[in-house]
Amino acid sequence: MSNDIICLGKSTLDLIWPLESLPGKGGKFIARDFIQLGGGMAATAAVAVSRLGRKVAFYGRAGDDAAGHAMLDELAGYGVDVSQFRLFPNARSSVSGILVDKEGERAIANFRGADIPDEAHWLDLDDVAQTHAVLVDVRWKEGAVSICAKARAHGIPTILDGEIADLDIYDALLPLVDHAIFSLPGLRSYGGAVTNHLQILQKVREQGCKVAAVTMGAQGCLWIDDNGVQHQAAFGVNVVDTTGAGDVFHGAYAVALAEGKNTVEAMRFASGVAALKCTHYGGRAGIPDREEVDAFLAEQFC
Ligand SMILES: Nc1ncnc2c1ncn2[C@@H]1O[C@H](COP(=O)(O)OP(=O)(O)OP(=O)(O)O)[C@@H](O)[C@H]1O
Ligand SMILES: [Mg+2]
């Protein structure tokens, strides 16, 4: 059975040690806990899609090592189809070690992984024509270009999570993407010398994107489409942890598009899901299910 949505891109593993305070120098420190969590934009978006009740696959790559298997098992545990999450022998997965103090301040050491092949010829794209939306991030250019080209050929909507990346990735991807939704740092890096957000979004539209958007945390989401400049406010919630809010926003937006919602409806739905995520700890454990989202949105006036 085919999936409603395919998410392609980054998967990482975070190893987290909560401490009383961050070390100022070397030594041995007792952690209050130890937490191992999968991360990565497209991978966490896939978990959000699954939590919202849609069938989803994650297409990606990592090393055939302990971290790779941990990521794969976690995604599968969330109900994500991992048949095209490939673990490469002799390659090493991306892993972060994170020390976090009582105030939530973090010291992060990231290993980006090694010897993971860039080429995407092994991807089986036969299922793309049967899906209802494709979401990619900026961390695997070759894979994203292949799947977006195939989706475009079949009229399947494509969504991009625009985080900070080299310009050549945007030059390759934007002409194949229908909905380019940047984070604020991602938009600024793409804009370069242009600092006005609306001007940068206009530049994104000129690459062929129907919707050019930027999420701005508690300031909500701003976008330009054929109807002009529009804004969705962030919902007021009791914020506990914003980790993964952007990833979850993108997954929820893909769900909305796959269900035939228009851009205004999709932005509102994604904002509601992301806001509810912020009321819980953790990028994935805090993702709400459909019932919670529907009940929450029914009570909102914006
Ligand atoms: N404090 C908040 N209160 C309510 N909603 C929030 C808050 N922070 C984020 N959101 C929601 O999540 C969306 C995405 O957040 P944000 O712009 O911070 O993503 P991001 O920069 O990509 O972060 P990341 O990728 O690290 O999750 C926002 O547009 C908003 O709808
Ligand atoms: Mg983001």
Side-chain angles (χ1 to χ4, degrees):
M1 265 233 294
S2 60
N3 289 292
D4 298 314
I5 292 165
I6 298 172
C7 300
L8 178 147
K10 181 79 173 174
S11 175
T12 60
L13 193 68
D14 293 341
L15 309 179
I16 304 164
W17 289 267
L19 301 176
E20 285 301 298
S21 57
L22 293 182
K25 56 183 173 54
K28 187 171 180 180
F29 309 93
I30 302 298
R32 281 181 282 117
D33 197 356
F34 170 71
I35 304 139
Q36 179 174 296
L37 284 176
M41 292 97 87
T44 297
V47 174
V49 173
S50 186
R51 285 284 291 159
L52 293 167
R54 290 285 156 194
K55 281 173 64 62
V56 59
F58 172 68
Y59 291 11
R61 39 192 196 132
D64 187 6
D65 52 14
H69 285 275
M71 292 187 271
L72 189 139
D73 290 348
E74 188 193 335
L75 285 172
Y78 277 112
V80 176
D81 174 351
V82 289
S83 56
Q84 296 213 59
F85 179 20
R86 186 149 168 183
L87 305 185
F88 288 89
N90 306 318
R92 298 174 66 201
S93 302
S94 170
V95 179
S96 292
I98 303 173
L99 304 179
V100 53
D101 72 12
K102 281 194 299 195
E103 276 73 46
E105 181 103 18
R106 287 157 181 254
I108 304 175
N110 174 244
F111 172 59
R112 288 198 155 187
D115 304 319
I116 300 173
D118 286 330
E119 66 264 22
H121 57 74
W122 56 270
L123 273 179
D124 179 351
L125 298 176
D126 284 352
D127 283 353
V128 173
Q130 275 81 52
T131 60
H132 302 297
V134 165
L135 166 66
V136 299
D137 67 34
V138 288
R139 296 286 178 260
W140 183 20
K141 181 172 94 173
E142 293 76 5
V145 166
S146 303
I147 201 167
C148 286
K150 178 97 186 207
R152 175 62 57 87
H154 289 275
I156 313 289
T158 50
I159 304 135
L160 173 69
D161 187 340
E163 283 290 352
I164 295 175
D166 292 341
L167 276 186
D168 68 294
I169 294 173
Y170 283 111
D171 290 342
L173 272 176
L174 288 178
L176 296 169
V177 161
D178 301 311
H179 303 253
I181 306 177
F182 289 75
S183 69
L184 207 39
L187 190 81
R188 286 184 180 137
S189 85
Y190 177 70
V194 183
T195 53
N196 180 290
H197 296 160
L198 289 176
Q199 277 176 17
I200 309 172
L201 291 176
Q202 201 55 58
K203 189 175 144 192
V204 172
R205 287 256 297 165
E206 284 158 16
Q207 305 304 306
C209 304
K210 280 192 288 206
V211 176
V214 57
T215 65
M216 305 175 297
Q219 266 65 57
C221 186
L222 184 70
W223 76 96
I224 306 181
D225 62 12
D226 287 344
N227 297 318
V229 178
Q230 304 191 61
H231 180 256
Q232 167 68 53
F235 291 108
V237 288
N238 180 23
V239 175
V240 169
D241 178 12
T242 62
T243 310
D247 309 338
V248 170
F249 182 99
H250 286 79
Y253 189 88
V255 167
L257 284 192
E259 294 177 356
K261 292 186 168 67
N262 65 32
T263 304
V264 171
E265 293 165 338
M267 291 291 182
R268 184 173 186 272
F269 181 75
S271 301
V273 177
L276 283 174
K277 194 248 73 83
C278 294
T279 64
H280 298 283
Y281 282 104
R284 293 182 178 177
I287 302 172
D289 64 16
R290 180 63 71 112
E291 219 175 305
E292 288 172 71
V293 176
D294 288 346
F296 176 77
L297 287 176
E299 288 175 358
Q300 307 301 316
F301 296 103
C302 61

